[in-house]
Amino acid sequence: MQRDLGSLPLAPALRARLVGAGFSTAQELLEVGPCELSKEIGISNEEALETLQVIRQECDSDAARMGGDPTSLRTCTALELLEQEQAQGFVVTFCSVLDDILGGGVQLTKITEICGAPGVGKTQLCMQLAVDVQIPECFGGLAGEAVYIDTEGSFMVERVADIATACVQHCQLIAEAHQEEDHHKALETFSLESILSHIYYFRCHDYTELLAQIYLLPDFLSEHSKVRLVAVDGIAFPFRHDFEDLSLRTRLLNGLAQQLISIANDHKLAVILTNQMTTRIGQSQSTLVPALGESWGHAATIRLILHWDNNQRLATLYKSPSQKESTVPYCITPHGFRDVQPPPPSQTPEGSEMNPRKRPRIEEDKQ
Amino acid sequence: MESREYRFGNMASKKLRRAGLAQELCERLSRHQINTCHDFLCVSFLELMKVTGQSYQNVQKLLCKVSRACAPKMQTAYDLKMKRAVNPFSAFLSTTLDSLDKTLHGGVACGSLTEVTGPPGCGKTQFCIMMSVLATLPTSLGGLDGAVIYIDTESAFSAERLVQIAEHRLPNYFVTEEKLVSMTRSIHLYRELTCESVLKRIESLEEEIISKKVKLVIIDSVASVVRKEFDTKLQGNLTERSNFLAREASMLKYLAEEFSIPVILTNQITTWLSNGLAIQADLVSPADDLSLSEVSGAPGSRKMESGCMIAALGNTWSHSVNTRLILQYHDLQTRQILVAKSPVAPFSAFLYTIEKSGLVLQDGKDQQDPTWEGTNPALQALRVRNNALKEDLLDNALPSSTGKDPI
């Protein structure tokens, strides 16, 4: 920045004028805007702008050689972004209607929040996604790895094993139907053991451990560059009790959200967070709302709310920049997260939720 | 910032000196009340730069250093599976109720919280006493070969019943007086009657578990002390109660996971009005009906507002427990156990009766109703004794359905 004018690639006449006006270093020049410069040395606005750009470029490339960070200005055009978005992959949930309303599945480079009542399937969905992100590319997956940060202790490895086995079988069926070479090759490395080995599990017992883990995550991700999914199962739990200082909580949560957004972007992965529901006592009503307050609602780009309607589990896309708000039913089978099977046509035409006796039995063998 | 919470065995309260920070730096930080990893990570970045007088890059490095000192260790899911596989018997504690065990992938899961809730007289304490016996059995018989800590808040534990269940359930094992004595000696009973004392007791458990080789912790019941001391109709009490319960759950989870043992908690029930408000229900009186005109003081309630019975302690507590088993009445003789929330099992129902040997499943009878799906486990409606009575055709004196019924 302290470069002498003499070392910059400027026309001699221009240089003479600059020296005459009292400028001696690049730094001094960059402090001046193009209009001011043009007035001082008597050149046109465009020439002044060009001069400054040349100097700025020179200084930036200096910084790059010295190991600075030239990409600190992250700009691109909407066209570039569109190309990126279209080429981007999704992590499928295996519930096709849910994937549809999400626009293909859980998006990379975004934070998706999953809120829901207890027992509705948030952890099940996280476990399903941690398996699905690993599906080989020839089957339509991302061949990625997963980081699973657990604050509630709900991760049960037996269940993940069930889900993973079902996923492998699903892929095997596809391979048999299509008989392509790369399918069989991929299946050699896509097995229960490999799936489990590529889920990196961290158990955080309180918010300090969670904060620490998120600080260390970028380094971990640089070492494990194939990770395409970070799941934080239970962002609410560590923050919900014993917080007398709510402003501290807000600050910490905001910081966490910022870090996760930059992690999602820098490493091109999907971040999913699960949140609890809390009771809001109104005048004569009490309703369940997502926990952690109103301001947390801004943290996630995409918000999915899982809830019950009598006996049916429903997923509502509550907030999304690109998809419409809608609700779909889903169910949880021994094999994981799945669509609801439509009732066979011989039964009542309207699938009535009020009459559970007409609800079809869930397919596939129960253990 | 209160450091009381962090006393309980975790890395957050690690002193910064032990995190590898230079002595001089630690002294400077302590002048600003920043002593532990927790304090360090809660301060804003700018504040840290100011206090340490270091550059942006250096503060980043310090943050990483401190984080490394208290972040959890990474394990792959495969590592977790191998750990469980090494000792397959110690991943679950079998309940010896075969169909229930099968659904739950083995029984009551180790390393997590299992809640048993239901109306009075359904068998919660019976279940706890039965599990106590089973935990002391050698692993070859499906037990955990260890001691049991039983925290009793309702003075419902009966040692005679314990012996009766042991003798009748495992007559081939408990043949000698000596075996019975040894079993009873392994069950450590603590009577706690206030929230404060329960919390203190839980805090002391870490050392007890190690010294007494405990393999099962039971709290019967979580609800009674909490409901005595927190009146949720009063302003602010609901939050305080939630805080207390969340703290309790957090400590118990730590113990469960650290020692890979099951923790069983019992809960009570409450009335849930259709407008969403829950009021503490008094179900001791047999004349109790669901006519809410008897319940006074419920804000906003109208007469004959429809309601139902659900598990007590609210929505946040429902999130905190990993597994929820609901015991309810089916008809005069039989009761039903519902798997309302489980990370490994779908919603299921099983019929049982209470006999000398404890709980006995009624296999073969209309076991599961496969078309019946569960709903939100926090709002799962329960059948209480009076529903069962009304729906039964018998209007004569009740035959005695079980042996002892101490609740």
Side-chain angles (χ1 to χ4, degrees), chain A residues 116 118 124 152 157-158 162 196-197 199 201 203 206-208 242 251 277 286 308 310, chain B residues 6 10 38 42 72 75-78 84 105 247 253 257 276 315 319 343 375-377:
Chain A
Q124 300 293 310
E152 297 178 345
V157 78
E158 288 85 7
D162 288 346
L196 292 182
S197 308
I199 298 178
Y201 178 80
R203 174 72 170 100
D206 55 46
Y207 68 86
T208 309
D242 255 2
R251 179 163 60 74
M277 302 296 267
S286 80
W308 297 89
N310 287 332
Chain B
Y6 297 95
N10 61 46
H38 165 258
C42 284
Q75 300 173 81
T76 65
Y78 189 71
R84 308 268 269 199
H105 260 251
R247 217 159 36 158
K253 276 192 191 182
E257 285 166 34
N315 172 70
H319 277 294
T375 181
N376 183 344

mmCIF file of all heavy atoms in Angstrom, chain A residues 116 118 124 152 157-158 162 196-197 199 201 203 206-208 242 251 277 286 308 310, chain B residues 6 10 38 42 72 75-78 84 105 247 253 257 276 315 319 343 375-377:
data_model
loop_
_atom_site.group_PDB
_atom_site.id
_atom_site.type_symbol
_atom_site.label_atom_id
_atom_site.label_comp_id
_atom_site.label_asym_id
_atom_site.label_seq_id
_atom_site.Cartn_x
_atom_site.Cartn_y
_atom_site.Cartn_z
ATOM 1 N N GLY A 116 -40.677 -28.827 15.688
ATOM 2 C CA GLY A 116 -41.774 -29.761 15.840
ATOM 3 C C GLY A 116 -42.026 -30.143 17.268
ATOM 4 O O GLY A 116 -41.191 -29.944 18.145
ATOM 5 N N PRO A 118 -42.753 -32.762 20.423
ATOM 6 C CA PRO A 118 -41.938 -33.925 20.795
ATOM 7 C C PRO A 118 -42.436 -35.191 20.112
ATOM 8 O O PRO A 118 -43.628 -35.404 19.991
ATOM 9 C CB PRO A 118 -42.118 -34.022 22.309
ATOM 10 C CG PRO A 118 -43.295 -33.202 22.637
ATOM 11 C CD PRO A 118 -43.417 -32.164 21.589
ATOM 12 N N GLN A 124 -35.525 -38.322 13.688
ATOM 13 C CA GLN A 124 -35.613 -39.322 12.637
ATOM 14 C C GLN A 124 -35.215 -38.714 11.299
ATOM 15 O O GLN A 124 -34.482 -39.329 10.514
ATOM 16 C CB GLN A 124 -37.048 -39.861 12.527
ATOM 17 C CG GLN A 124 -37.583 -40.517 13.775
ATOM 18 C CD GLN A 124 -36.854 -41.794 14.112
ATOM 19 O OE1 GLN A 124 -36.686 -42.657 13.270
ATOM 20 N NE2 GLN A 124 -36.403 -41.908 15.341
ATOM 21 N N GLU A 152 -29.167 -33.405 22.607
ATOM 22 C CA GLU A 152 -30.227 -33.967 23.443
ATOM 23 C C GLU A 152 -30.016 -35.437 23.765
ATOM 24 O O GLU A 152 -30.739 -35.996 24.569
ATOM 25 C CB GLU A 152 -31.575 -33.834 22.723
ATOM 26 C CG GLU A 152 -31.981 -32.419 22.470
ATOM 27 C CD GLU A 152 -33.300 -32.342 21.726
ATOM 28 O OE1 GLU A 152 -33.726 -33.357 21.178
ATOM 29 O OE2 GLU A 152 -33.877 -31.250 21.711
ATOM 30 N N VAL A 157 -27.812 -45.261 17.648
ATOM 31 C CA VAL A 157 -27.063 -45.831 16.536
ATOM 32 C C VAL A 157 -27.775 -47.050 15.939
ATOM 33 O O VAL A 157 -27.673 -47.302 14.742
ATOM 34 C CB VAL A 157 -25.605 -46.122 16.972
ATOM 35 C CG1 VAL A 157 -25.522 -47.380 17.787
ATOM 36 C CG2 VAL A 157 -24.707 -46.187 15.788
ATOM 37 N N GLU A 158 -28.554 -47.763 16.774
ATOM 38 C CA GLU A 158 -29.298 -48.913 16.230
ATOM 39 C C GLU A 158 -30.272 -48.447 15.167
ATOM 40 O O GLU A 158 -30.480 -49.095 14.145
ATOM 41 C CB GLU A 158 -30.087 -49.624 17.338
ATOM 42 C CG GLU A 158 -29.245 -50.409 18.322
ATOM 43 C CD GLU A 158 -28.701 -49.542 19.436
ATOM 44 O OE1 GLU A 158 -29.090 -48.368 19.496
ATOM 45 O OE2 GLU A 158 -27.885 -50.025 20.226
ATOM 46 N N ASP A 162 -30.579 -49.250 11.090
ATOM 47 C CA ASP A 162 -31.782 -49.693 10.370
ATOM 48 C C ASP A 162 -32.006 -48.842 9.130
ATOM 49 O O ASP A 162 -32.268 -49.355 8.036
ATOM 50 C CB ASP A 162 -33.032 -49.550 11.253
ATOM 51 C CG ASP A 162 -33.065 -50.577 12.368
ATOM 52 O OD1 ASP A 162 -32.289 -51.549 12.308
ATOM 53 O OD2 ASP A 162 -33.873 -50.397 13.293
ATOM 54 N N LEU A 196 -21.910 -45.726 8.337
ATOM 55 C CA LEU A 196 -21.729 -45.375 9.738
ATOM 56 C C LEU A 196 -20.376 -44.708 9.981
ATOM 57 O O LEU A 196 -20.243 -43.823 10.827
ATOM 58 C CB LEU A 196 -21.868 -46.619 10.617
ATOM 59 C CG LEU A 196 -23.273 -47.227 10.690
ATOM 60 C CD1 LEU A 196 -23.284 -48.418 11.625
ATOM 61 C CD2 LEU A 196 -24.301 -46.208 11.150
ATOM 62 N N SER A 197 -19.368 -45.136 9.221
ATOM 63 C CA SER A 197 -18.040 -44.566 9.434
ATOM 64 C C SER A 197 -17.948 -43.128 8.991
ATOM 65 O O SER A 197 -17.036 -42.413 9.397
ATOM 66 C CB SER A 197 -16.990 -45.356 8.652
ATOM 67 O OG SER A 197 -17.101 -46.703 8.929
ATOM 68 N N ILE A 199 -20.377 -40.831 9.390
ATOM 69 C CA ILE A 199 -21.179 -39.910 10.180
ATOM 70 C C ILE A 199 -20.319 -39.519 11.374
ATOM 71 O O ILE A 199 -20.004 -40.338 12.225
ATOM 72 C CB ILE A 199 -22.492 -40.553 10.657
ATOM 73 C CG1 ILE A 199 -23.342 -40.952 9.455
ATOM 74 C CG2 ILE A 199 -23.263 -39.590 11.539
ATOM 75 C CD1 ILE A 199 -24.641 -41.631 9.833
ATOM 76 N N TYR A 201 -19.846 -37.875 14.748
ATOM 77 C CA TYR A 201 -20.790 -37.590 15.819
ATOM 78 C C TYR A 201 -20.127 -36.823 16.954
ATOM 79 O O TYR A 201 -19.066 -37.200 17.442
ATOM 80 C CB TYR A 201 -21.356 -38.923 16.321
ATOM 81 C CG TYR A 201 -22.312 -38.817 17.472
ATOM 82 C CD1 TYR A 201 -23.637 -38.461 17.273
ATOM 83 C CD2 TYR A 201 -21.895 -39.090 18.773
ATOM 84 C CE1 TYR A 201 -24.523 -38.375 18.328
ATOM 85 C CE2 TYR A 201 -22.771 -38.996 19.827
ATOM 86 C CZ TYR A 201 -24.087 -38.650 19.594
ATOM 87 O OH TYR A 201 -24.958 -38.563 20.645
ATOM 88 N N ARG A 203 -21.177 -35.144 20.746
ATOM 89 C CA ARG A 203 -22.224 -34.997 21.746
ATOM 90 C C ARG A 203 -21.891 -33.780 22.610
ATOM 91 O O ARG A 203 -20.909 -33.801 23.360
ATOM 92 C CB ARG A 203 -22.304 -36.273 22.593
ATOM 93 C CG ARG A 203 -23.252 -36.199 23.775
ATOM 94 C CD ARG A 203 -24.710 -36.212 23.330
ATOM 95 N NE ARG A 203 -25.610 -36.386 24.457
ATOM 96 C CZ ARG A 203 -26.272 -35.396 25.058
ATOM 97 N NH1 ARG A 203 -26.133 -34.174 24.642
ATOM 98 N NH2 ARG A 203 -27.056 -35.679 26.082
ATOM 99 N N ASP A 206 -23.796 -29.002 26.796
ATOM 100 C CA ASP A 206 -24.351 -27.693 27.144
ATOM 101 C C ASP A 206 -23.947 -26.704 26.072
ATOM 102 O O ASP A 206 -23.260 -27.055 25.103
ATOM 103 C CB ASP A 206 -23.851 -27.235 28.522
ATOM 104 C CG ASP A 206 -22.330 -27.242 28.597
ATOM 105 O OD1 ASP A 206 -21.676 -26.754 27.662
ATOM 106 O OD2 ASP A 206 -21.799 -27.760 29.589
ATOM 107 N N TYR A 207 -24.388 -25.461 26.237
ATOM 108 C CA TYR A 207 -24.175 -24.526 25.137
ATOM 109 C C TYR A 207 -22.719 -24.133 24.974
ATOM 110 O O TYR A 207 -22.299 -23.766 23.884
ATOM 111 C CB TYR A 207 -25.090 -23.313 25.243
ATOM 112 C CG TYR A 207 -24.827 -22.371 26.393
ATOM 113 C CD1 TYR A 207 -23.901 -21.347 26.288
ATOM 114 C CD2 TYR A 207 -25.562 -22.473 27.569
ATOM 115 C CE1 TYR A 207 -23.683 -20.472 27.325
ATOM 116 C CE2 TYR A 207 -25.349 -21.603 28.616
ATOM 117 C CZ TYR A 207 -24.411 -20.601 28.494
ATOM 118 O OH TYR A 207 -24.215 -19.739 29.528
ATOM 119 N N THR A 208 -21.931 -24.243 26.052
ATOM 120 C CA THR A 208 -20.510 -23.930 25.912
ATOM 121 C C THR A 208 -19.836 -24.919 24.976
ATOM 122 O O THR A 208 -19.051 -24.542 24.092
ATOM 123 C CB THR A 208 -19.799 -23.960 27.279
ATOM 124 O OG1 THR A 208 -20.532 -23.155 28.187
ATOM 125 C CG2 THR A 208 -18.386 -23.442 27.168
ATOM 126 N N ASP A 242 -32.050 -21.987 32.480
ATOM 127 C CA ASP A 242 -31.060 -21.279 33.264
ATOM 128 C C ASP A 242 -30.403 -20.123 32.530
ATOM 129 O O ASP A 242 -29.229 -19.858 32.719
ATOM 130 C CB ASP A 242 -29.977 -22.241 33.744
ATOM 131 C CG ASP A 242 -30.177 -22.544 35.222
ATOM 132 O OD1 ASP A 242 -31.164 -22.022 35.789
ATOM 133 O OD2 ASP A 242 -29.388 -23.278 35.800
ATOM 134 N N ARG A 251 -27.498 -12.816 21.802
ATOM 135 C CA ARG A 251 -26.207 -12.545 21.170
ATOM 136 C C ARG A 251 -25.522 -13.851 20.771
ATOM 137 O O ARG A 251 -24.996 -13.989 19.664
ATOM 138 C CB ARG A 251 -25.323 -11.731 22.118
ATOM 139 C CG ARG A 251 -23.957 -11.442 21.498
ATOM 140 C CD ARG A 251 -23.214 -10.323 22.207
ATOM 141 N NE ARG A 251 -22.940 -10.579 23.605
ATOM 142 C CZ ARG A 251 -22.027 -11.414 24.062
ATOM 143 N NH1 ARG A 251 -21.300 -12.106 23.209
ATOM 144 N NH2 ARG A 251 -21.845 -11.572 25.352
ATOM 145 N N MET A 277 -40.708 -26.989 20.287
ATOM 146 C CA MET A 277 -41.853 -26.091 20.346
ATOM 147 C C MET A 277 -42.045 -25.700 21.796
ATOM 148 O O MET A 277 -41.741 -26.467 22.708
ATOM 149 C CB MET A 277 -43.129 -26.781 19.830
ATOM 150 C CG MET A 277 -43.019 -27.288 18.423
ATOM 151 S SD MET A 277 -42.791 -26.013 17.201
ATOM 152 C CE MET A 277 -44.453 -25.675 16.709
ATOM 153 N N SER A 286 -53.734 -21.455 24.566
ATOM 154 C CA SER A 286 -52.291 -21.580 24.568
ATOM 155 C C SER A 286 -51.922 -22.297 23.281
ATOM 156 O O SER A 286 -52.601 -23.234 22.868
ATOM 157 C CB SER A 286 -51.817 -22.363 25.784
ATOM 158 O OG SER A 286 -51.978 -23.728 25.580
ATOM 159 N N TRP A 308 -48.672 -32.665 14.304
ATOM 160 C CA TRP A 308 -49.663 -33.728 14.255
ATOM 161 C C TRP A 308 -51.031 -33.161 13.914
ATOM 162 O O TRP A 308 -51.400 -32.087 14.352
ATOM 163 C CB TRP A 308 -49.803 -34.384 15.624
ATOM 164 C CG TRP A 308 -48.595 -35.055 16.130
ATOM 165 C CD1 TRP A 308 -47.591 -34.489 16.869
ATOM 166 C CD2 TRP A 308 -48.235 -36.429 15.966
ATOM 167 N NE1 TRP A 308 -46.643 -35.426 17.175
ATOM 168 C CE2 TRP A 308 -47.012 -36.625 16.636
ATOM 169 C CE3 TRP A 308 -48.831 -37.509 15.327
ATOM 170 C CZ2 TRP A 308 -46.375 -37.864 16.691
ATOM 171 C CZ3 TRP A 308 -48.192 -38.733 15.385
ATOM 172 C CH2 TRP A 308 -46.982 -38.901 16.054
ATOM 173 N N ASN A 310 -54.331 -35.011 14.652
ATOM 174 C CA ASN A 310 -54.793 -36.285 15.204
ATOM 175 C C ASN A 310 -53.705 -37.338 15.064
ATOM 176 O O ASN A 310 -52.700 -37.293 15.756
ATOM 177 C CB ASN A 310 -56.084 -36.739 14.549
ATOM 178 C CG ASN A 310 -57.236 -35.895 15.016
ATOM 179 O OD1 ASN A 310 -57.212 -35.371 16.124
ATOM 180 N ND2 ASN A 310 -58.222 -35.719 14.172
ATOM 181 N N TYR B 6 -22.628 -25.450 36.185
ATOM 182 C CA TYR B 6 -21.517 -26.058 35.486
ATOM 183 C C TYR B 6 -20.646 -26.885 36.371
ATOM 184 O O TYR B 6 -19.660 -27.432 35.942
ATOM 185 C CB TYR B 6 -20.700 -24.949 34.804
ATOM 186 C CG TYR B 6 -21.553 -24.282 33.786
ATOM 187 C CD1 TYR B 6 -22.258 -23.121 34.079
ATOM 188 C CD2 TYR B 6 -21.742 -24.861 32.552
ATOM 189 C CE1 TYR B 6 -23.090 -22.552 33.148
ATOM 190 C CE2 TYR B 6 -22.578 -24.291 31.629
ATOM 191 C CZ TYR B 6 -23.247 -23.151 31.926
ATOM 192 O OH TYR B 6 -24.079 -22.601 31.011
ATOM 193 N N ASN B 10 -18.696 -31.263 33.487
ATOM 194 C CA ASN B 10 -18.486 -31.042 32.069
ATOM 195 C C ASN B 10 -17.351 -30.062 31.857
ATOM 196 O O ASN B 10 -16.822 -29.488 32.785
ATOM 197 C CB ASN B 10 -19.757 -30.549 31.387
ATOM 198 C CG ASN B 10 -20.217 -29.263 31.961
ATOM 199 O OD1 ASN B 10 -19.434 -28.356 32.167
ATOM 200 N ND2 ASN B 10 -21.492 -29.186 32.239
ATOM 201 N N HIS B 38 -16.105 -21.454 29.702
ATOM 202 C CA HIS B 38 -17.463 -20.949 29.488
ATOM 203 C C HIS B 38 -17.477 -19.431 29.416
ATOM 204 O O HIS B 38 -18.035 -18.831 28.495
ATOM 205 C CB HIS B 38 -18.363 -21.445 30.614
ATOM 206 C CG HIS B 38 -19.653 -20.736 30.703
ATOM 207 N ND1 HIS B 38 -19.917 -19.754 31.645
ATOM 208 C CD2 HIS B 38 -20.765 -20.826 29.965
ATOM 209 C CE1 HIS B 38 -21.134 -19.302 31.457
ATOM 210 N NE2 HIS B 38 -21.674 -19.932 30.453
ATOM 211 N N CYS B 42 -18.338 -16.869 26.041
ATOM 212 C CA CYS B 42 -19.556 -16.063 26.057
ATOM 213 C C CYS B 42 -19.292 -14.594 25.821
ATOM 214 O O CYS B 42 -20.197 -13.812 25.598
ATOM 215 C CB CYS B 42 -20.278 -16.218 27.395
ATOM 216 S SG CYS B 42 -21.135 -17.774 27.514
ATOM 217 N N PRO B 72 -16.374 -31.407 22.538
ATOM 218 C CA PRO B 72 -16.483 -32.859 22.704
ATOM 219 C C PRO B 72 -15.579 -33.602 21.718
ATOM 220 O O PRO B 72 -15.172 -33.071 20.707
ATOM 221 C CB PRO B 72 -17.950 -33.149 22.399
ATOM 222 C CG PRO B 72 -18.401 -32.016 21.583
ATOM 223 C CD PRO B 72 -17.603 -30.825 21.985
ATOM 224 N N GLN B 75 -16.641 -38.958 17.472
ATOM 225 C CA GLN B 75 -16.701 -40.401 17.255
ATOM 226 C C GLN B 75 -17.512 -40.600 15.988
ATOM 227 O O GLN B 75 -18.431 -39.833 15.737
ATOM 228 C CB GLN B 75 -17.473 -41.075 18.383
ATOM 229 C CG GLN B 75 -16.883 -40.887 19.763
ATOM 230 C CD GLN B 75 -17.820 -41.457 20.793
ATOM 231 O OE1 GLN B 75 -17.850 -42.644 21.038
ATOM 232 N NE2 GLN B 75 -18.623 -40.605 21.395
ATOM 233 N N THR B 76 -17.206 -41.622 15.241
ATOM 234 C CA THR B 76 -18.084 -41.897 14.106
ATOM 235 C C THR B 76 -19.216 -42.781 14.604
ATOM 236 O O THR B 76 -19.113 -43.415 15.653
ATOM 237 C CB THR B 76 -17.357 -42.631 12.971
ATOM 238 O OG1 THR B 76 -16.977 -43.918 13.444
ATOM 239 C CG2 THR B 76 -16.153 -41.860 12.498
ATOM 240 N N ALA B 77 -20.295 -42.808 13.829
ATOM 241 C CA ALA B 77 -21.426 -43.650 14.203
ATOM 242 C C ALA B 77 -20.974 -45.103 14.281
ATOM 243 O O ALA B 77 -21.482 -45.890 15.084
ATOM 244 C CB ALA B 77 -22.554 -43.489 13.185
ATOM 245 N N TYR B 78 -19.981 -45.436 13.464
ATOM 246 C CA TYR B 78 -19.451 -46.792 13.475
ATOM 247 C C TYR B 78 -18.785 -47.100 14.811
ATOM 248 O O TYR B 78 -18.972 -48.170 15.384
ATOM 249 C CB TYR B 78 -18.454 -46.957 12.325
ATOM 250 C CG TYR B 78 -18.010 -48.369 12.106
ATOM 251 C CD1 TYR B 78 -18.889 -49.306 11.574
ATOM 252 C CD2 TYR B 78 -16.722 -48.783 12.432
ATOM 253 C CE1 TYR B 78 -18.505 -50.610 11.374
ATOM 254 C CE2 TYR B 78 -16.326 -50.085 12.223
ATOM 255 C CZ TYR B 78 -17.215 -50.998 11.692
ATOM 256 O OH TYR B 78 -16.821 -52.283 11.490
ATOM 257 N N ARG B 84 -21.291 -50.402 21.471
ATOM 258 C CA ARG B 84 -22.473 -51.107 21.943
ATOM 259 C C ARG B 84 -22.342 -52.593 21.658
ATOM 260 O O ARG B 84 -22.803 -53.421 22.428
ATOM 261 C CB ARG B 84 -23.731 -50.593 21.241
ATOM 262 C CG ARG B 84 -23.921 -49.104 21.291
ATOM 263 C CD ARG B 84 -24.732 -48.673 22.454
ATOM 264 N NE ARG B 84 -26.149 -48.590 22.197
ATOM 265 C CZ ARG B 84 -26.992 -47.907 22.938
ATOM 266 N NH1 ARG B 84 -26.547 -47.229 23.966
ATOM 267 N NH2 ARG B 84 -28.273 -47.888 22.660
ATOM 268 N N HIS B 105 -36.495 -52.964 20.745
ATOM 269 C CA HIS B 105 -35.150 -53.349 20.297
ATOM 270 C C HIS B 105 -34.336 -53.960 21.418
ATOM 271 O O HIS B 105 -33.101 -53.975 21.340
ATOM 272 C CB HIS B 105 -34.373 -52.106 19.799
ATOM 273 C CG HIS B 105 -34.348 -51.970 18.323
ATOM 274 N ND1 HIS B 105 -33.217 -52.177 17.570
ATOM 275 C CD2 HIS B 105 -35.311 -51.633 17.453
ATOM 276 C CE1 HIS B 105 -33.497 -51.971 16.311
ATOM 277 N NE2 HIS B 105 -34.757 -51.639 16.195
ATOM 278 N N ARG B 247 -33.151 -28.659 33.835
ATOM 279 C CA ARG B 247 -31.884 -28.872 34.514
ATOM 280 C C ARG B 247 -31.777 -30.316 34.997
ATOM 281 O O ARG B 247 -30.743 -30.961 34.844
ATOM 282 C CB ARG B 247 -31.789 -27.941 35.714
ATOM 283 C CG ARG B 247 -30.379 -27.434 35.894
ATOM 284 C CD ARG B 247 -30.266 -26.245 36.646
ATOM 285 N NE ARG B 247 -31.217 -26.173 37.728
ATOM 286 C CZ ARG B 247 -31.042 -25.411 38.768
ATOM 287 N NH1 ARG B 247 -29.967 -24.710 38.853
ATOM 288 N NH2 ARG B 247 -31.941 -25.346 39.699
ATOM 289 N N LYS B 253 -29.409 -37.013 31.987
ATOM 290 C CA LYS B 253 -28.919 -37.484 30.696
ATOM 291 C C LYS B 253 -27.410 -37.655 30.741
ATOM 292 O O LYS B 253 -26.855 -38.598 30.182
ATOM 293 C CB LYS B 253 -29.271 -36.487 29.588
ATOM 294 C CG LYS B 253 -30.647 -36.681 29.059
ATOM 295 C CD LYS B 253 -30.861 -35.898 27.781
ATOM 296 C CE LYS B 253 -32.339 -35.932 27.476
ATOM 297 N NZ LYS B 253 -32.695 -35.254 26.259
ATOM 298 N N GLU B 257 -25.647 -41.219 30.011
ATOM 299 C CA GLU B 257 -24.718 -41.421 28.910
ATOM 300 C C GLU B 257 -23.314 -41.731 29.386
ATOM 301 O O GLU B 257 -22.642 -42.592 28.826
ATOM 302 C CB GLU B 257 -24.686 -40.175 28.023
ATOM 303 C CG GLU B 257 -25.909 -40.071 27.162
ATOM 304 C CD GLU B 257 -26.066 -38.716 26.555
ATOM 305 O OE1 GLU B 257 -25.032 -38.104 26.243
ATOM 306 O OE2 GLU B 257 -27.211 -38.272 26.414
ATOM 307 N N GLY B 276 -56.339 -25.918 25.268
ATOM 308 C CA GLY B 276 -54.887 -25.999 25.349
ATOM 309 C C GLY B 276 -54.298 -25.800 26.721
ATOM 310 O O GLY B 276 -53.121 -25.988 26.938
ATOM 311 N N ASN B 315 -45.042 -29.647 27.842
ATOM 312 C CA ASN B 315 -44.483 -29.928 26.531
ATOM 313 C C ASN B 315 -42.963 -30.042 26.538
ATOM 314 O O ASN B 315 -42.396 -30.936 25.925
ATOM 315 C CB ASN B 315 -44.940 -28.789 25.604
ATOM 316 C CG ASN B 315 -44.281 -28.847 24.277
ATOM 317 O OD1 ASN B 315 -44.556 -29.730 23.494
ATOM 318 N ND2 ASN B 315 -43.381 -27.921 24.022
ATOM 319 N N HIS B 319 -40.266 -33.186 25.488
ATOM 320 C CA HIS B 319 -39.100 -33.170 24.606
ATOM 321 C C HIS B 319 -37.907 -33.804 25.293
ATOM 322 O O HIS B 319 -37.087 -34.453 24.666
ATOM 323 C CB HIS B 319 -38.706 -31.718 24.260
ATOM 324 C CG HIS B 319 -39.482 -31.116 23.156
ATOM 325 N ND1 HIS B 319 -39.418 -31.558 21.861
ATOM 326 C CD2 HIS B 319 -40.327 -30.073 23.149
ATOM 327 C CE1 HIS B 319 -40.191 -30.808 21.114
ATOM 328 N NE2 HIS B 319 -40.760 -29.898 21.854
ATOM 329 N N PRO B 343 -37.307 -43.452 20.090
ATOM 330 C CA PRO B 343 -36.479 -43.244 18.908
ATOM 331 C C PRO B 343 -36.287 -44.516 18.078
ATOM 332 O O PRO B 343 -35.803 -44.448 16.960
ATOM 333 C CB PRO B 343 -35.139 -42.771 19.471
ATOM 334 C CG PRO B 343 -35.132 -43.191 20.883
ATOM 335 C CD PRO B 343 -36.537 -43.335 21.336
ATOM 336 N N THR B 375 -50.200 -40.227 18.490
ATOM 337 C CA THR B 375 -50.200 -38.804 18.169
ATOM 338 C C THR B 375 -49.117 -38.157 19.009
ATOM 339 O O THR B 375 -48.274 -38.846 19.578
ATOM 340 C CB THR B 375 -51.586 -38.193 18.420
ATOM 341 O OG1 THR B 375 -51.540 -36.819 18.070
ATOM 342 C CG2 THR B 375 -51.991 -38.332 19.865
ATOM 343 N N ASN B 376 -49.093 -36.851 19.064
ATOM 344 C CA ASN B 376 -48.123 -36.114 19.853
ATOM 345 C C ASN B 376 -48.038 -36.731 21.258
ATOM 346 O O ASN B 376 -49.007 -36.708 22.000
ATOM 347 C CB ASN B 376 -48.591 -34.662 19.936
ATOM 348 C CG ASN B 376 -47.606 -33.785 20.672
ATOM 349 O OD1 ASN B 376 -46.728 -34.262 21.371
ATOM 350 N ND2 ASN B 376 -47.784 -32.487 20.503
ATOM 351 N N PRO B 377 -46.867 -37.283 21.620
ATOM 352 C CA PRO B 377 -46.779 -37.965 22.919
ATOM 353 C C PRO B 377 -47.039 -37.055 24.104
ATOM 354 O O PRO B 377 -47.359 -37.534 25.186
ATOM 355 C CB PRO B 377 -45.352 -38.507 22.974
ATOM 356 C CG PRO B 377 -44.673 -38.037 21.763
ATOM 357 C CD PRO B 377 -45.643 -37.436 20.823
#
